[in-house]
Structure formats: C-alpha cells, structure tokens
Amino acid sequence: MLKKEEDGSTSTSVYVKPTNPGLCLNGNSECPQRYKDSTIASFFRRAITHCSSWEATTREFDRVTQVLVNNGHSNKDCQRIKRDILNKWQHQQQQGQQQQTTEENEDLKLFYRAFMSSAYKDEEKAIRNIIRRNVIPTNQNSRVKLTIYYKNKRTKDLLLKNDNAPISKGFDQVNVVYKFSCPHEDCTPHSMYIGMTTTKLSRRLSYHLNQGGPKRHMSTHGININRALLEKNTTILDYAPDKNRLHLLEALYIRRENPKINTQQEKAIFIWGII
C-alpha cells in the first residue's frame, strides 16, 4: 500500500483487504513440513520486500504471526523462520544482488515429482542420497539443487476412483461381446451368433428383432423372433472399454467357437483380421 507522508515523501506497506478472512495453509495439514515452512516464510518475506520502513515491517510481522498461529502453525516455527529470513536478507544486502544472481545461475537444478504418503520423509531421503551419489556437475563451482515437489490428485479424480455406484450389468452393459444360442432342439451346438456392441446390449438386441443373423436363422425354423426369446438365449462373453480391443475379442471368439449363424462373409473378415 502506497502512502504519502506529511513531509512529502512516500511509504509502502502490505495492504490487506477488509474482506480478507485471514486463511492460509493449515499447520495441521497432511503435507510435507517444508510446504508449511514455505507458507510461513512467504508472509515474512513479503513484509520485508513491501514495507519501506522498519516500523511498518515490525507491525506486519506481528500481524502475520497472529494469522499463522490462528491457522495452526506454532509460534516457535514462526519465530525460527522469521529469524532465518532476516539473516538471509541481511547477508544478501552485504554480498550484493549481482553476486547472488551469479551464484544462482551456476547451480544445477533438478526437479523430481513425488507422490504424497505417510513415509514421504524416508522417500525424500532415499532420493537425495541417490542424487548425491550419482550426479556430479561438470563445473566444480556449481552445486546440485534438488527440488522435490508434490502434486496431489484432483478431488474429482478421487471421487471417481472411490465411486461406489453399482456397475451396470446384464443388458444395460456397453462395450461387450455377446452370444446368441439357438434354442431349437434340432440345431447343433454351434448354432450360435457372436457379435459385439459399443452401445447397451438391450439396444443391440432391438436391432436383431428387425434384422441380422439371429432373425434370419430363427425364420428357418418358422419362429418369429421376439425380445423374450432373445434375452433368454443371449449371454455376455467378454467386455473391453477399447473399441479396437473389442473388435479383436469378437474375432477371437468367432474363430474359437465357429458360430454357424454368423454369415460366412462375417467370419472370413474377422478371422482374416487376426491371422
């Protein structure tokens, strides 16, 4: 926040909206401790960079300390990190910004994405040991700086993963390979029709009521096919979410079962496709 003083000079400080609820990463959150330390450090670092006077900086230090404590962070951690921030800031002022930039440019920066777990500290230690033993910069003045970061799954992905909704079964299933067996007593065991559908099986059976192999075959017995007959004699052989895999499964089942109701042309196409 920019403010004009009585002597004509200007001063700056951190501006906080009146509607600011004072929330931040909670100190009791299940995340690496350095993430919590980074949250604390960002508040104190902002006070140093945004406040033009030590008086304003001190007021901001007191305010953010209370905010952090209200969000579950310990006062001990706040004081420790504030002390480190001040020491580092004073050191940078002495060494000069140019030298600091040069040193940062010489560092070899590595980034590793990890997955959050209760044993994350042990995993980080193992990763750092591997890097220390196997990575050596070509420049002797350079240092290896490993940054391990975490990116948790989105909430909606977790909901989908843990979704307890029942899986569609029976004739409401999609992406299936199915078999229709002729119920007529004079038919051989291989008098069957094998097909696949990417829509609901019930919808595919509706197609067979009007045309297709099952309808043509039942007409040879003088039987008018209906839904009850179709559903009673149709079973699901397999399932595959991928359309290409579904076609392959259908061809494999046709080759193995040699269904008589499938037309010769259909069988030739499917069998040729897998030879």
Side-chain angles (χ1 to χ4, degrees):
M1 180 174 65
L2 184 64
K3 180 180 179 181
K4 188 173 182 180
E5 304 293 344
E6 295 179 357
D7 59 358
S9 62
T10 58
S11 63
T12 58
S13 61
V14 176
Y15 173 73
V16 181
K17 289 183 178 181
T19 57
N20 182 13
L23 300 178
C24 66
L25 178 66
N26 195 280
N28 298 317
S29 300
E30 185 179 354
C31 65
Q33 181 60 40
R34 67 172 180 276
Y35 280 27
K36 303 173 187 178
D37 292 348
S38 178
T39 300
I40 298 173
S42 64
F43 278 103
F44 290 122
R45 193 179 296 112
R46 184 180 63 178
I48 293 176
T49 58
H50 286 53
C51 297
S52 59
S53 66
W54 183 248
E55 181 181 0
T57 303
T58 304
R59 287 198 305 267
E60 181 62 14
F61 279 171
D62 294 338
R63 187 191 71 82
V64 298
T65 299
Q66 187 61 56
V67 169
L68 292 166
V69 171
N70 292 343
N71 284 273
H73 298 276
S74 67
N75 186 65
K76 181 179 179 181
D77 287 340
C78 294
Q79 298 305 320
R80 171 179 58 84
I81 294 174
K82 181 177 71 172
R83 183 172 60 252
D84 293 341
I85 292 293
L86 287 172
N87 291 337
K88 184 177 181 180
W89 177 76
Q90 292 174 354
H91 178 72
Q92 291 175 356
Q93 295 298 312
Q94 295 173 359
Q95 297 296 325
Q97 188 67 31
Q98 183 176 1
Q99 182 179 354
Q100 177 196 0
T101 304
T102 303
E103 291 177 354
E104 289 180 352
N105 291 337
E106 292 178 353
D107 292 338
L108 176 61
K109 298 180 180 180
L110 301 177
F111 298 88
Y112 178 82
R113 177 180 176 180
F115 295 92
M116 186 60 193
S117 68
S118 58
Y120 77 93
K121 290 184 178 180
D122 295 333
E123 294 174 358
E124 288 185 2
K125 183 178 180 180
I127 294 169
R128 294 186 188 280
N129 289 335
I130 292 173
I131 296 298
R132 185 173 61 255
R133 291 195 302 263
N134 298 280
V135 179
I136 301 176
T138 55
N139 187 349
Q140 296 181 354
N141 297 324
S142 298
R143 298 175 301 171
V144 177
K145 296 186 66 176
L146 174 64
T147 300
I148 301 176
Y149 67 97
Y150 297 83
K151 188 175 181 182
N152 293 332
K153 293 184 178 181
R154 294 174 294 182
T155 303
K156 70 174 185 178
D157 292 336
L158 297 176
L159 292 175
L160 287 175
K161 181 178 180 180
N162 298 325
D163 189 6
N164 293 322
I167 301 174
S168 298
K169 296 182 179 180
F171 298 104
D172 288 333
Q173 281 190 266
V174 298
N175 298 329
V176 296
V177 177
Y178 62 94
K179 176 182 70 174
F180 169 78
S181 301
C182 178
H184 200 275
E185 57 185 6
D186 293 336
C187 275
T188 62
H190 290 283
S191 293
M192 65 181 72
Y193 176 88
I194 294 178
M196 53 79 65
T197 178
T198 56
T199 62
K200 287 185 177 181
L201 181 56
S202 59
R203 184 175 180 181
R204 181 62 176 173
L205 295 183
S206 297
Y207 163 82
H208 287 309
L209 291 174
N210 300 313
Q211 54 184 313
K215 179 178 176 61
R216 291 194 301 269
H217 178 78
M218 296 308 297
S219 64
T220 62
H221 296 299
I223 299 175
N224 187 21
I225 197 168
N226 54 55
R227 177 166 290 277
L229 186 147
L230 273 174
E231 293 184 355
K232 183 178 180 181
N233 297 280
T234 299
T235 57
I236 296 176
L237 297 176
D238 218 324
Y239 161 83
D242 180 73
K243 185 177 180 180
N244 294 329
R245 180 176 175 80
L246 198 63
H247 281 293
L248 179 61
L249 285 174
E250 180 188 20
L252 290 172
Y253 277 108
I254 288 177
R255 183 176 186 180
R256 188 183 72 178
E257 301 294 340
N258 190 27
K260 301 299 182 181
I261 300 179
N262 289 75
T263 63
Q264 190 66 30
Q265 183 179 3
E266 288 174 335
K267 290 191 289 186
I269 292 175
F270 288 127
I271 295 173
W272 176 84
I274 63 173
I275 295 176

